[in-house]
Each structure stands twice: as C-alpha cells, then as structure tokens.
C-alpha cells in the first residue's frame, strides 16, 4: 500500500532516491508531468484556456515551471507569477519562457494589478508556492497572493490545483494559514503527507491524487514506515478468489448477533453487509420479538431465535449462542443491541472468565489464546468483530480486552472510543492516528476508529488510513453495514487486519458512489450504501486487474 509520511520522512525518501540515481531534476519533471496530465484529464481543450501559476523559490516552484512549460507547449495561455526576485529554478523558468509562458516577477507587478487581472480571466489556478515547505503563518508576499486569489476566485468555476500540498498547510499537523487557498485537487508526489488527513488541513486538500515521481520500489526507508493509505488496487488484491466450482461452504458462515425491539434495522444492515461482501451463509441471531421483521427483509439468511426480555437479548440466550458457535467462521457482536441490563448479562455470560464460570455454574473448557491469561480463558471463538453497544457492554468487564480472541476487530466511533479509553472526544479527534494505534497495541486487537479518514491499527503498530471523508456516511446504520462487511470478509478466511482494511475501504468507496447516485450527502441512507457495495467491490477488482 502507498505510504503516508512526515515532511522529514519525505526529505529522507527524496535523498535516498537521489542516491539511487533518481535525480531531483527527474523527480521534478515527473511531478510536473503528473500535474499536467491530471489537469488535461479534467479540462477540455486546454489550448483555449487561461492558466495562472504561482511559483515559489524552491522545488515546488520548479514543479510549477514544468507544468507551465507543458501547458504553454500545448497552446494554452500561461502566466507564471513568482514570489521572489531570485530563485533556484532558472533552467526550468527559461524552458517555460521558451515554450511560450509569461513570467512576472514581484518587481514587475508591485501592486499585483497584473496578477489580479489575470486571475479574473483564469480557467485554472495552480498553486506551486511551497508544497511541503510551508511554514505557518505565511510571510507577506505569499500570504497576499493567496489572499487575493481566494477573493477573486470565490464563486467562480475555476479549477484550483495544488502542487503537492496547498501552500499554507502544515503537512505534519494539518494546521492552516488563514490565507490558504482551498484546492479542488491536490496532486501529491511519492507518498501522501500526514497533514493531508488532519482537519482543518484536510478540507483545503480537495481531491487527493498520489502521483509517481520515479522512486525505486525498494527504498529502505519505505520499509520502516508503518503508516499507509489504503488504495483500490491494494484492496482488490486482498479480495477472496471465487472459482467457478465453489459452493456456499467455500465462502464461510458469518454469525451476526444483532438487534433489539428499538433497532431491528441494525440486524438487517449488518447481515446484508456480510452477504454483499461475499459470505457464503449468514446466520442471524436475533431476539424473537423482531425475527419476523428481519426475516422478511432478508430471506437469504438463516436465523437463531434468542430469548428476549423487554425487547432485548437476555442472558438466557448464552447457551444457545455457544452451541451455534461450533459451525461458524466469523462472529459479529453488538449492532442494535441497546445497553439494557439483560443484554449486558448476555455478553458478560459469553465472555465470563473461568473464575466467573465456577461461581456462576456456567463453566466451559477452553484453550488459552495469545492475548489472554489463565484467569480469562474463554470458549474458543471464531474471528470476532465487536461493534457499537457490544463494545460499551463488554467494556464493563475488568480487563475486557483479554477475554476476546487475539486480533479481534473493534469498530468504535469517537464517542465509543471515548467510553473505552476514558479520553474525551476532542482528545481522540485531535490525534486520531496516535490514539487508535496506542490502544490497538495496548489491547492486542485491531482498532477501527471510524469517522472521516477511518483509521485501522494493528497491535504491531501498523496503521492504515482510508482516503474517504464523506458526510454521506454520517447517518444511522452505516456503521452496521461496515461491521457486516468486515464479518463477511472474515468468514471467507481473510486475516483480521486485511478484513478491517478492505471492509473500511469498500464502505468508504460505497459512500462515495451512493453520494454520486443520490446527489446530496444529506439524503444518503445506510441502505443506499449497502445497495452500491457491489459496485465498490467491482471497482477495486478492476483497479487491481488493471494495475501495472
């Protein structure tokens, strides 16, 4: 998977690539060419358009001059405005001039009248000032130029392109300068930058595109970086193969324990999610009071009727569930449970310790797992996902994380993560990657911290960030779909980390597809996300098949 790096790591990667024979000039040429290609993919008849490029004094400005040269050579009207009288890009500047671009230095436009006039005519504005080299707050000339651009471009149909990163974004922290120009698209090079996934900076990035600049694939520094960004091709490579002679048993059985009288839809959404992602058989364990509702929505599933108390699962269902676990390949606990006492007793009964069982008379023989100790040996469970109210209820047990199978998948949203950790939601949201990673290591499980740019962390310190931040997923039930997707992938034999990464990516991509089909984020329902999941799967499989 592609990497996410700090600014320091980016400099180290560039240096190592240079030592391997990839010159900075070659990287700059590839960077500029990538920006040019993405502009051409979005703008018809480039030769008839007006372009404004703002170029800084360093490598980012050099990238901008390469873009300017390629655009001018294509017949476009290109005006390049530099922020310094002297810079390090004389060669690329001269090549841009020879291709037909106009270059205006600060002393030639002291009042920025030419700059303002050209922006008003521009079809595309290209920010190539600082890239990863921005220091917030910005100094006077850059701040003034970006401020003018923000005002003049406001409300106009102008494509705003950031070369590597929007100038004014701290690429390590996500902090932004007040004058930053919000991009429609940011073409970043070699590796994504961590600040591009931290708000408020993430809002300034627009669509993020990762472009190749010619690095060797075996750079040693890449191997040491544990922060990754999920991609369609990488997720496509994880998806289980489906041979023509397979049968439903080939793709496993997922057991979904979900629902209550108040949240019957959660059971349907989770179970249907497991089916949509390819599980061969989905068994749904629900309180009897909602069986008819759920079964009428999902006739493809098989059902286990659990005893209920006031409409929620009761602890008398524990032996029924234990017996059902003998023939399943994955287990999902929690969607739509509620937090009433009978259901708390139910999950506590499932995860009671040897000591608890002796006291309660519900003991069972078990084999020790990697992240448990003798006191907390529990029945051998299949690969397990714990979601929603299941997390809140399980966390009431002392050392709850020791009672789960090793590398279970935990799927909290920020509020549930706050309950599990004792941190505030603000503390979690301000440091999502480090918080999720810290507790994945401490608990010994896969932590999926949901939200914009969902984070998946392993106990070994590996972190994967999903590239989706879509308010269309900010509605009830989408988390149930996600939990079902992960459980369905686990049932097919996928390892927990891969299932979590693939499930979250498919979920995010389905949210993007649902948004495009529905037309507005406010109107997307969880069932819309569920319905387009097959399109998301088809997309990642196509990306995997077409990659070089």
């Amino acid at each position: 998977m592609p990497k996410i790096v700090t600014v320091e790591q980016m400099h180290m990667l560039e240096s190592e690539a240079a030592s391997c024979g990839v010159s900075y000039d070659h990287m700059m040429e590839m960077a500029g060419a990538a920006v040019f290609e993405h502009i051409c993919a979005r703008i018809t008849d480039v030769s008839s358009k007006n372009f404004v490029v703002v170029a800084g004094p360093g490598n980012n400005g050099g990238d901008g001059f390469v873009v300017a040269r390629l655009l001018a050579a294509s017949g476009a009207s290109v005006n390049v405005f530099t922020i310094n009288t002297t810079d390090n890009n004389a060669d690329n500047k001269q090549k841009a001039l020879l291709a037909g671009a106009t270059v205006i230095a600060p002393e030639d436009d002291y009042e920025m009248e030419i700059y303002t006039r050209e922006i008003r005519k521009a079809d595309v504005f290209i920010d190539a000032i600082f890239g990863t080299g921005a220091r917030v707050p910005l100094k006077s000339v850059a701040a003034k130029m970006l401020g003018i651009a923000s005002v003049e471009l406001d409300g106009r149909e102008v494509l705003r392109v950031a070369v590597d990163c929007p100038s004014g974004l701290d690429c390590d922290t996500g902090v932004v300068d007040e004058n930053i120009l919000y991009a429609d698209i940011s073409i970043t090079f070699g590796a994504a930058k961590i600040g591009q996934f931290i708000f408020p900076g993430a809002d300034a990035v627009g669509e993020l595109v990762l472009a190749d600049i010619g690095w060797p694939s075996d750079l040693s520094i890449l191997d040491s970086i544990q922060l990754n960004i999920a991609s369609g091709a990488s997720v496509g490579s994880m998806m289980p193969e489906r041979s023509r002679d397979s049968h439903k048993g080939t793709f496993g059985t997922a057991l979904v324990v979900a629902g209550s009288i108040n949240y019957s839809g959660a059971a349907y959404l989770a179970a249907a999610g497991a089916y949509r992602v390819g599980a061969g058989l989905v068994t749904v364990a629900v309180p009897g009071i909602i069986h008819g509702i759920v079964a009428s929505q999902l006739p493809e599933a098989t059902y286990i009727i659990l005893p209920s108390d006031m409409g929620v699962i009761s602890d008398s269902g524990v032996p029924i569930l234990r017996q059902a676990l003998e023939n399943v390949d994955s287990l999902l606990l929690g969607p739509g449970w509620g937090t009433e006492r009978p259901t708390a007793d139910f999950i506590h009964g499932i995860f009671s310790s040897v000591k608890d069982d002796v006291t309660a008379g519900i003991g069972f023989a078990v084999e020790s797992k990697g992240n448990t100790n003798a006191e907390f040996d529990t029945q051998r469970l299949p690969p397990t996902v714990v979601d929603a109210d299941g997390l809140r209820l399980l966390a009431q047990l002392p050392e709850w994380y020791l009672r789960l199978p090793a590398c279970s998948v935990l799927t909290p949203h920020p509020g549930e993560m706050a309950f599990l950790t004792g941190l505030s939601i603000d503390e979690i949201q301000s440091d999502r990657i480090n918080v999720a990673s810290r507790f994945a290591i401490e608990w010994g499980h896969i932590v999926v911290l949901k939200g914009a740019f969902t984070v998946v962390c392993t106990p070994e310190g590996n972190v994967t960030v999903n590239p989706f931040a879509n308010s269309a997923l900010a509605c009830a039930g989408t988390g149930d779909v996600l939990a079902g997707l992960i459980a369905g992938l686990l049932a097919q034999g996928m390892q927990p980390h891969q299932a979590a990464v693939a499930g979250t990516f498919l979920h995010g991509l389905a949210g993007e597809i649902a948004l495009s089909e529905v037309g507005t984020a406010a109107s997307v329902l969880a069932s819309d996300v569920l319905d387009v999941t097959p399109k998301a799967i088809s997309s990642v499989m196509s990306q995997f098949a077409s990659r070089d």
Side-chain angles (χ1 to χ4, degrees):
M1 284 187 283
K3 300 293 185 179
I4 302 175
V5 300
T6 64
V7 173
E8 180 181 4
Q9 287 171 331
M10 185 65 186
H11 292 161
M12 293 168 64
L13 285 163
E14 289 175 334
S15 178
E16 184 179 358
S19 69
C20 294
V22 183
S23 70
Y24 282 93
D25 286 343
H26 180 70
M27 286 186 266
M28 194 175 295
E29 187 69 23
M30 289 197 67
V35 176
F36 172 72
E37 289 169 6
H38 282 285
I39 289 174
C40 291
R42 288 164 171 77
I43 298 292
T44 57
D45 192 14
V46 167
S47 64
S48 68
K49 300 298 192 293
N50 296 311
F51 292 80
V52 168
V53 181
V54 184
N59 290 343
N60 198 246
D63 300 337
F65 276 116
V66 173
V67 180
R69 185 195 83 222
L70 295 171
L71 289 167
S74 299
S77 172
V78 184
N79 286 277
V80 183
F81 294 85
T82 62
I83 68 167
N84 290 72
T85 301
T86 59
D87 58 47
N88 300 317
N89 295 304
D91 288 345
N92 280 316
K93 174 181 174 181
Q94 186 62 28
K95 290 177 182 178
L97 286 167
L98 290 172
T102 300
V103 179
I104 301 99
E107 64 268 24
D108 299 324
D109 188 27
Y110 184 76
E111 298 296 331
M112 298 192 184
E113 294 177 354
I114 302 172
Y115 176 67
T116 302
R117 183 187 71 217
E118 293 301 326
I119 287 178
R120 289 172 179 170
K121 297 190 301 182
D123 299 294
V124 180
F125 182 92
I126 300 172
D127 167 12
I129 303 177
F130 293 126
T132 60
R135 297 293 180 268
V136 178
L138 296 175
K139 294 183 179 180
S140 56
V141 176
K144 184 176 181 180
M145 294 184 82
L146 288 173
I148 291 172
S150 295
V151 171
E152 295 297 334
L153 296 175
D154 185 44
R156 292 184 54 212
E157 291 294 323
V158 177
L159 180 66
R160 300 160 177 84
V161 179
V163 177
D164 207 4
C165 296
S167 298
L169 166 64
D170 186 314
C171 287
D172 282 339
T173 67
V175 171
V176 299
D177 185 86
E178 62 181 359
N179 294 293
I180 194 169
L181 180 69
Y182 284 69
D184 297 307
I185 180 173
S186 296
I187 297 97
T188 199
F189 310 125
K193 285 72 185 177
I194 192 169
Q196 295 168 332
F197 300 93
I198 303 174
F199 290 93
D203 270 337
V205 172
E207 179 187 353
L208 181 63
V209 174
L210 180 60
D212 176 26
I213 52 172
W215 290 347
S217 59
D218 58 351
L219 293 179
S220 62
I221 296 172
L222 286 173
D223 292 335
S224 67
I225 296 171
Q226 291 186 296
L227 186 56
N228 310 281
I229 180 171
S231 69
S234 62
V235 169
S237 71
M238 300 175 188
M239 298 301 291
E241 295 183 2
R242 301 184 75 87
S243 62
R244 294 174 62 190
D245 63 348
S246 57
H247 52 84
K248 66 182 179 182
T250 307
F251 304 114
T253 298
L255 174 57
V256 176
V257 187
S260 63
I261 189 64
N262 291 327
Y263 306 109
S264 60
Y268 163 72
L269 291 167
Y275 259 138
R276 284 295 192 187
V277 83
L281 177 65
V282 179
T283 297
V284 191
V286 294
I289 197 169
I290 66 168
H291 168 253
I293 299 172
V294 181
S296 65
Q297 294 176 303
L298 192 65
E300 296 88 349
T302 61
Y303 289 88
I304 295 173
I305 308 302
L306 295 176
S308 61
D309 184 351
M310 300 297 291
V312 301
I313 299 170
S314 74
D315 63 336
S316 57
V318 171
I320 298 172
L321 182 68
R322 288 179 178 165
Q323 184 176 3
L325 290 172
E326 296 176 3
N327 299 304
V328 300
D329 301 290
S330 71
L331 172 66
L332 169 57
L333 300 168
W337 278 7
T339 56
E340 285 77 9
R341 184 72 259 168
T343 309
D345 292 340
F346 171 75
I347 195 169
H348 295 174
I350 296 169
F351 291 104
S352 56
S353 70
V354 172
K355 182 188 298 183
D356 295 335
D357 290 343
V358 170
T359 302
I362 54 172
F364 43 85
V366 295
E367 181 179 337
S368 179
K369 307 277 285 191
N371 70 328
T372 63
N373 57 42
E375 183 180 354
F376 294 122
D377 277 345
T378 57
Q379 182 181 28
R380 180 177 291 280
L381 299 175
T384 298
V385 182
V386 187
D387 181 50
D389 295 327
L391 290 168
R392 291 183 180 271
L393 296 178
L394 180 61
Q396 295 174 8
L397 287 169
E399 298 184 292
W400 57 270
Y401 45 87
L402 297 179
R403 302 169 184 250
L404 290 163
C407 286
S408 292
V409 181
L410 314 177
T411 58
H413 60 51
E416 290 157 353
M417 192 68 174
F419 181 86
L420 295 174
T421 63
L423 300 174
S424 70
I425 293 177
D426 286 344
E427 288 174 312
I428 291 167
Q429 291 294 79
S430 65
D431 195 18
R432 286 170 53 83
I433 291 172
N434 288 325
V435 168
S437 181
R438 168 189 161 193
F439 285 99
I441 293 169
E442 180 177 323
W443 295 334
H445 299 296
I446 310 296
V447 172
V448 175
L449 180 56
K450 296 185 290 194
F453 306 120
T454 292
V455 180
V456 180
C457 302
T458 73
E460 296 75 32
N462 187 289
V463 180
T464 302
V465 178
N466 271 274
F468 305 108
N470 183 351
S471 63
L473 294 174
C475 66
T478 57
D480 303 319
V481 175
L482 172 60
L485 295 178
I486 298 172
L489 292 169
L490 286 173
Q492 296 171 76
M494 192 177 285
Q495 292 300 305
H497 177 217
Q498 286 190 323
V501 169
T504 52
F505 187 91
L506 292 171
H507 184 252
L509 181 56
E512 297 285 319
I513 296 170
L515 173 59
S516 68
E517 294 191 356
V518 173
T520 173
S523 299
V524 173
L525 301 177
S527 56
D528 297 322
V529 177
L530 176 67
D531 290 343
V532 298
T533 295
K535 294 183 179 180
I537 297 171
S538 177
S539 175
V540 301
M541 296 302 290
S542 295
Q543 291 178 60
F544 170 59
S546 63
R547 71 178 182 178
D548 294 334

